[in-house]
Amino acid sequence: MYDQSRYIKDARKRDPMRGLFYPNEVLGMLEGLKRWYRKRDWYQERGIPWRTGILMWGPGGTGKSSMAKVVAQTL
């Protein structure tokens, strides 16, 4: 692999959602994951395992892999 950061102006600030369009339900799921990610201490204080999962389905080419990348880059 090669380092793409030299081709992207300020790679750390690049928006992972740039060029992607999802319905509001999908964007709501992403917001829910962000809330879950910020609540790690809440889970640990109560002895609840800090894990979650999502299921994405649909025909090929609908953005499932792209959304997985967005989630990974966002969290």
Side-chain angles (χ1 to χ4, degrees), residues 12-20 22 30 66 69-75:
R12 291 176 293 162
K13 293 185 180 179
R14 184 168 183 249
D15 180 15
M17 289 290 289
R18 192 179 96 210
L20 302 175
Y22 291 100
L30 183 59
S66 296
K69 290 177 187 177
V70 166
V71 169
Q73 291 173 353
T74 302
L75 302 183

Side-chain angles (χ1 to χ4, degrees), residues 30-47:
L30 183 59
E31 290 303 315
L33 286 172
K34 288 178 186 178
R35 280 191 305 273
W36 166 81
Y37 191 76
R38 290 189 302 260
K39 300 274 186 181
R40 183 176 190 158
D41 294 336
W42 185 90
Y43 283 84
Q44 287 180 341
E45 289 170 2
R46 289 157 179 79

